[in-house]
Structure formats: structure tokens, C-alpha cells
Amino acid sequence: RDASLLASQLLGAECAACGEKVSKADAAKLAGWEKELQKIVNRCSAAESVSVKQIQEHEAFIDKHFPQHVLADLAWEQFCSIYASKWKIADQRRLLERRCEFHKAAYPGL
């Protein structure tokens, strides 16, 4: 639960796409973003009242910082339920399709 532990685990990790290594400052920033994403998932999972505007803001945050992350998938799952409860079926479908693409990229060959 301590973001500094996560930051230390990220330090020096190498990007598979470009080969760039994670600096100490970047590791701290990434750990903070991940901690915020976990809070988003927790709030949306706890059946707290979440508005469509808040969900859209959360989606923008995920789009900016987490193109492929298991917590993003968990957040999208919660967002789908919230969109369905608010009769935002087009948004629910959009995220369900996005989750399918996420799973296709995460688990090739399935």
C-alpha cells in the first residue's frame, strides 16, 4: 500500500517499445498515478454516487496515463456498470468494446 515501495520497483524498468529506462522521478510519478487509479477503482466499486461527468474525467485520466494496465480494465468494468445504471448504453458499449480490445492485446491468441 506504500507508493514508495512501488516506485522503487519501477526504478530502472525498461520500456519494451523504446528501451527507455524509468528514472527515479518518473518512478515516483508513475507510482502516484497508479495510487490515484486504485482510488478511482475503489470509489467506483464501493457503490458511492459517481456522476457521468466524474466517470468521463476518470476515463480521460486513464487514457492519458494507462494505455494498458489491469487497474484500467477494472475501472472500465466499474464504469460500464455505472453507465448501465444511468441508461448511458452507448457509453457502456464503447467501454465493453474497449475492454475486449484490451484483453485481445493483453492475451494474444485467446
Side-chain angles (χ1 to χ4, degrees):
R1 293 187 177 222
D2 182 0
S4 63
L5 176 61
L6 180 58
S8 68
Q9 292 171 331
L10 292 170
L11 183 61
E14 190 172 303
C15 175
C18 71
E20 186 173 341
K21 292 192 177 199
V22 177
S23 70
K24 187 174 183 176
D26 287 338
K29 192 178 348 177
L30 290 167
W33 289 337
E34 189 169 73
K35 189 175 183 179
E36 181 59 30
L37 182 54
Q38 182 64 63
K39 287 179 186 177
I40 289 169
V41 170
N42 292 346
R43 277 194 304 267
C44 292
S45 300
E48 291 182 21
S49 180
V50 182
S51 71
V52 170
K53 182 179 180 194
Q54 288 171 312
I55 295 297
Q56 291 167 340
E57 290 169 359
H58 295 331
E59 279 191 69
F61 173 78
I62 292 169
D63 290 346
K64 183 175 181 179
H65 301 296
F66 296 100
Q68 190 77 16
H69 195 289
V70 68
L71 286 176
D73 183 49
L74 291 174
W76 295 329
E77 179 181 14
Q78 298 304 316
F79 299 168
C80 285
S81 295
I82 294 166
Y83 280 139
S85 73
K86 296 180 183 296
W87 293 95
K88 297 287 191 178
I89 304 307
D91 287 317
Q92 179 194 26
R93 182 181 177 113
R94 176 181 50 79
L95 282 184
L96 287 170
E97 289 172 353
R98 187 169 190 181
R99 291 188 72 210
C100 288
E101 290 302 314
F102 174 92
H103 289 199
K104 184 178 175 183
Y107 308 106
L110 288 183

